[in-house]
Amino acid sequence: MKEVSVEELKNKIDNNEDFQLIDVRESFEYEVSNLNGLNIPLSGILIESDKIAKDKPVIVQCRSGKRSAQAIMLLEQQGFDNLANLKGGILAWKEEIDPELDVY
């Protein structure tokens, strides 16, 4: 499984690269803090897979990287081959990029 570090994600955001960010946490978690990704909870990832781009890189994130890895495994079984997991999730983002970010 391809992984992207939080530094790589920040560079993509800063450089306005064309990619999609998917946040597979639950809605209440997303409301506490998010990185402006599209919120599709893991439980609905296959039902809402039509919202996920197939024609550009997609980075999948969660709190720590575990649920996003699960989501990628499910989506790859559906034919997606453009996915990367955000290593360490939003916890790593807080630790390395934005210490002010609220996480639970």
Side-chain angles (χ1 to χ4, degrees):
M1 179 178 304
K2 187 173 179 230
E3 286 194 313
V4 173
S5 71
V6 289
E7 291 86 0
E8 290 172 292
L9 174 58
K10 184 166 186 339
N11 285 337
K12 288 179 180 296
I13 293 168
D14 291 347
N15 294 326
N16 289 317
E17 287 186 33
D18 188 21
F19 73 98
Q20 186 181 32
L21 181 63
I22 303 290
D23 187 328
V24 297
R25 297 175 303 149
E26 296 300 319
S27 301
F28 70 89
E29 296 173 277
Y30 185 85
E31 286 168 16
V32 171
S33 59
N34 65 73
L35 306 178
N36 296 317
L38 177 62
N39 185 216
I40 305 175
L42 177 59
S43 59
I45 200 76
L46 294 179
I47 297 163
E48 297 192 64
S49 65
D50 59 327
K51 295 180 179 175
I52 301 171
K54 288 190 170 175
D55 59 347
K56 60 183 168 186
V58 176
I59 298 171
V60 186
Q61 62 117 158
C62 64
R63 182 169 183 263
S64 66
K66 290 185 176 68
R67 278 179 282 177
S68 47
Q70 282 182 294
I72 288 172
M73 286 191 289
L74 290 169
L75 291 165
E76 284 179 342
Q77 291 171 1
Q78 304 298 312
F80 284 85
D81 61 0
N82 58 330
L83 309 173
N85 192 15
L86 182 63
K87 191 175 182 180
I90 202 163
L91 293 177
W93 183 274
K94 177 184 175 71
E95 189 173 305
E96 297 176 38
I97 308 291
D98 183 4
E100 302 295 308
L101 190 68
D102 285 333
V103 291
Y104 47 91

